[in-house]
Amino acid sequence: MSRIETFFLRGAAGRIECMLKRPDAADAPSAAVVCHPHPLFGGTIHNKVVHAAAEAIVDAGIPVLRFNFRGVGGSGGTHDGGRGEQDDLRSVLDHLARLFPGRRLLVAGYSFGAFVALAVGCRDPRAQALIGIGLPVNLVGFGFLRECRKPLTIIQGDEDAFGPLLQVMALSAVVPGGARVVVVKGAAHNFAGHLDELARGVGGAIPD
């Protein structure tokens, strides 16, 4: 049986509320983190898209950690527009690296969480692979991907009003190492009614 652990880490803005789910197998070569969507619009570790993504990763035999950004749930501090939230993620990656020494780290995020995950993951040498779900390219800049050489999968609904597919495809074309785009047909930004397809996309994005 998989096991769920809840705990707090010390972060730059105070404590960080975390939830770690471990699969049955204990010898996975990787560990993962999934970042939640925008805190000011109700984003938490319990978001349905984040949960579906995390479950797909656990089903692949990889332990996965979800955490609340600063000012959300039991986490200390206040929302910082994506800047301090990157520090939150770095603290979580520090913990994962200590907890699972030598394992490759998979960094994933949804919407605002995708921005944070990719901004940190592209630059952090411990991140070996990246997954961005529902990139809100109309709301925040992803220009930093022009210098990102990590394996990257983008999962995008073709009816996402915050991340039009044509713009996402154009963005993927400028990623130096190339980015794989998985299109979920009929899905809006929240992937309502398409969580199974989303989960399959996440499962297919996990490196061997």
Side-chain angles (χ1 to χ4, degrees):
M1 294 290 291
S2 58
R3 294 173 291 140
I4 298 176
E5 306 164 20
T6 57
F7 54 91
F8 292 94
L9 297 178
R10 180 177 297 176
R15 67 183 191 172
I16 301 174
E17 184 179 17
C18 299
M19 177 183 296
L20 174 67
K21 189 167 185 178
R22 300 174 185 256
D24 296 336
D27 57 351
S30 306
V33 59
V34 182
C35 300
H36 69 71
H38 207 296
L40 300 187
F41 298 96
T44 76
I45 57 175
H46 301 296
N47 173 270
K48 291 181 179 180
V49 171
V50 171
H51 180 266
E55 288 296 300
I57 294 170
V58 170
D59 287 347
I62 298 171
V64 61
L65 189 151
R66 290 178 276 158
F67 70 99
N68 275 327
F69 287 124
R70 56 186 61 197
V72 179
S75 294
T78 57
H79 178 65
D80 193 35
R83 296 172 295 274
E85 287 77 9
Q86 293 182 42
D87 289 334
D88 297 340
L89 176 54
R90 291 186 188 100
S91 294
V92 168
L93 292 177
D94 289 343
H95 179 74
L96 280 178
R98 290 191 299 267
L99 192 62
F100 302 107
R103 295 196 189 187
R104 301 188 302 266
L105 298 185
L106 169 64
V107 181
Y110 163 50
S111 193
F112 170 84
F115 168 75
V116 174
L118 300 186
V120 172
C122 282
R123 301 178 177 98
D124 193 309
R126 297 169 297 186
Q128 299 298 304
L130 310 173
I131 301 175
I133 303 167
L135 270 59
V137 294
N138 275 355
L139 302 179
V140 292
F142 284 85
F144 58 84
L145 290 179
R146 293 177 179 273
E147 300 177 0
C148 188
R149 299 186 179 276
K150 304 288 182 69
L152 167 62
T153 298
I154 299 170
I155 302 173
Q156 200 79 10
D158 67 355
E159 295 185 8
D160 190 332
F162 301 117
L165 188 57
L166 286 178
Q167 291 178 233
V168 171
M169 297 297 290
L171 175 65
S172 71
V174 303
V175 178
R180 175 171 171 257
V181 179
V182 176
V183 179
V184 180
K185 293 184 178 181
H189 187 68
N190 63 4
F191 290 91
H194 296 274
L195 293 178
D196 288 343
E197 296 102 308
L198 166 72
R200 286 195 291 272
V202 171
I206 297 171
D208 296 331

